[in-house]
């Protein structure tokens, strides 16, 4: 079974093809970034500042649970944080940076689709058949990671870090750039971590990992999951567990995917 004729292009032709895929992806990112720059009120006041506001969905939900369970400690982020800008061009620079990041996040499905269009001609027909839905699955997992981190991990991180004090005499007046960087790193890290089943799929397709290998190092994966959770979340146990549990579940999903890949490979060898 032969590959597509596009795979017979020269090296320079491949570079030219890749260049146009990158150009189109960058163009879409820039268009979305311009839109995000224009609608700065929605991007900053609604999206970015959302986890710090008392009326944010997650904060209201936790407060509702606090009243139902008679556990006041569950009610989080009821005091609006104070932010400040300490640089002359700080807000303008932050506006540009956030607009570009927002454009890249929203354009992720298209970027991956362009990458898939570049790689697809080099695949065999059976590989293309088994990889159907890759763009949808990758985009869905990335979106789930973004939403999970934004609606759950980000509010908890804001509550812990924004309210933590070493002394009552030290007031928290948070640099706005620090707040935005924290939210962005948490949300983007969540989106990348939720791609774990996709990584395992491609590694198993390449023969770099196997089901026995994944099962053998399951305990090591759990330890790494806790380590990653400790890096991207504040140092409180609840947030780390909330991040670690989905990673463990995704790792188990990856084992199931690796089983299917190996089974298909065995069937093809027999055929």
């Amino acid at each position: 079974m032969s590959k597509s004729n596009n795979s017979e292009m020269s090296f320079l032709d491949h570079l030219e093809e890749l260049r146009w895929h990158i150009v189109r992806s960058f163009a879409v990112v820039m268009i979305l970034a311009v839109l995000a720059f224009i609608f700065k009120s929605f991007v900053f006041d609604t999206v970015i500042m959302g986890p710090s506001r008392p009326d944010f969905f997650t904060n209201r939900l936790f407060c509702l649970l606090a009243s139902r369970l008679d556990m006041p400690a569950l009610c989080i982020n009821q005091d609006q944080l104070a932010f400040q800008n300490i640089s002359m061009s700080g807000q303008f620079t932050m506006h540009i940076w956030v607009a570009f990041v927002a454009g890249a996040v929203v354009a992720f499905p298209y970027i991956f689709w362009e990458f898939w269009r570049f790689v697809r001609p080099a695949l065999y027909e059976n590989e293309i058949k088994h990889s159907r839905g890759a763009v949808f699955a990758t985009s869905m997992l990335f979106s789930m990671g973004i939403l999970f981190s934004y609606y759950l991990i980000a509010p908890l991180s804001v509550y812990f870090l924004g309210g933590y004090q070493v002394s009552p005499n030290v007031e928290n007046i948070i640099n706005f750039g620090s707040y935005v960087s924290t939210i962005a790193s948490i949300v983007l890290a969540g989106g990348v971590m939720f791609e774990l089943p996709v990584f395992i799929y491609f590694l198993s397709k390449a023969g770099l990992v196997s089901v026995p290998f994944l099962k053998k190092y399951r305990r090591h994966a759990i330890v790494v999951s806790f380590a990653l959770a400790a890096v991207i979340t504040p140092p409180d146990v609840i947030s780390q567990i909330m991040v670690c549990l989905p990673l463990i579940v995704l790792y188990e999903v990856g084992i199931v995917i690796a089983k299917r890949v190996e089974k298909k490979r065995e069937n093809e060898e027999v055929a």
Side-chain angles (χ1 to χ4, degrees):
M1 190 175 296
S2 61
K3 299 182 182 181
S4 170
N5 291 332
N6 291 338
S7 63
E8 299 176 1
M9 294 189 301
S10 66
F11 177 72
L12 293 179
D13 290 334
H14 279 296
L15 287 181
E16 179 66 15
E17 185 73 16
L18 177 61
R19 184 175 74 89
W20 280 108
H21 285 294
I22 295 175
V23 168
R24 286 191 293 268
S25 299
F26 185 76
V28 171
V29 170
M30 292 306 299
I31 292 173
L32 294 173
V34 170
L35 292 175
F37 188 88
I38 295 173
F39 296 99
K40 67 176 182 178
S41 178
F42 172 77
V43 173
F44 283 93
D45 295 335
T46 303
V47 178
I48 295 179
M49 302 291 289
S52 68
R53 296 201 318 264
D55 62 346
F56 187 62
F57 172 77
T58 306
N59 299 332
R60 290 189 287 110
L61 179 61
F62 271 88
C63 287
L64 178 62
L65 290 175
S67 61
R68 294 286 179 86
L69 302 176
D70 194 21
M71 299 176 62
L74 289 178
C75 194
I76 62 175
N77 295 326
Q78 293 307 294
D79 297 325
Q80 181 64 53
L81 295 178
F83 299 102
Q84 67 174 354
N85 173 57
I86 59 176
S87 174
M88 178 68 74
S89 61
Q91 294 196 50
F92 180 70
T93 304
M94 181 60 63
H95 190 184
I96 295 176
W97 181 78
V98 169
F100 182 79
V101 172
V105 170
V106 177
F108 176 81
Y110 180 81
I111 295 173
F112 187 80
W113 180 68
E114 285 286 354
F115 169 76
W116 175 248
R117 287 181 60 195
F118 175 72
V119 174
R120 191 168 183 250
L123 301 178
Y124 292 101
E125 292 181 8
N126 61 332
E127 293 175 335
I128 296 175
K129 179 181 177 181
H130 294 157
S131 301
R132 286 176 181 172
V135 176
F136 175 79
T138 303
S139 302
M140 182 63 66
L141 287 172
F142 184 78
S143 300
M144 289 173 59
I146 291 289
L147 294 175
F148 174 80
S149 299
Y150 178 72
Y151 280 102
L152 189 59
I153 305 304
L156 292 172
S157 301
V158 170
Y159 175 69
F160 179 84
L161 297 175
Y164 187 85
Q165 289 181 294
V166 295
S167 170
N169 298 321
V170 181
E171 182 181 2
N172 283 333
I173 303 178
I174 301 169
N175 183 355
F176 183 62
S178 174
Y179 170 82
V180 173
S181 298
T182 300
I183 297 297
S185 61
I186 290 174
V187 172
L188 292 177
V192 173
M193 287 192 307
F194 268 60
E195 298 292 343
L196 181 60
V198 177
F199 295 148
I200 293 179
Y201 170 79
F202 284 108
L203 290 175
S204 59
K205 287 289 292 183
L208 299 177
V209 298
S210 62
V211 174
F213 176 87
L214 294 173
K215 289 183 177 180
K216 178 181 178 182
Y217 290 97
R218 178 185 278 122
R219 295 181 180 178
H220 299 76
I222 294 175
V223 174
V224 172
S225 299
F226 273 105
L228 288 175
V231 170
I232 69 171
T233 61
D236 66 288
V237 178
I238 296 178
S239 298
Q240 292 178 6
I241 292 177
M242 287 184 175
V243 173
C244 186
L245 287 179
L247 285 176
I248 295 174
V249 172
L250 292 171
Y251 187 83
E252 296 298 328
V253 171
I255 293 178
V256 175
I257 293 174
K259 285 182 180 180
R260 295 187 60 183
V261 171
E262 292 184 358
K263 185 176 180 180
K264 288 181 180 179
R265 185 185 296 122
E266 292 175 358
N267 293 337
E268 291 172 0
E269 291 176 354
V270 172

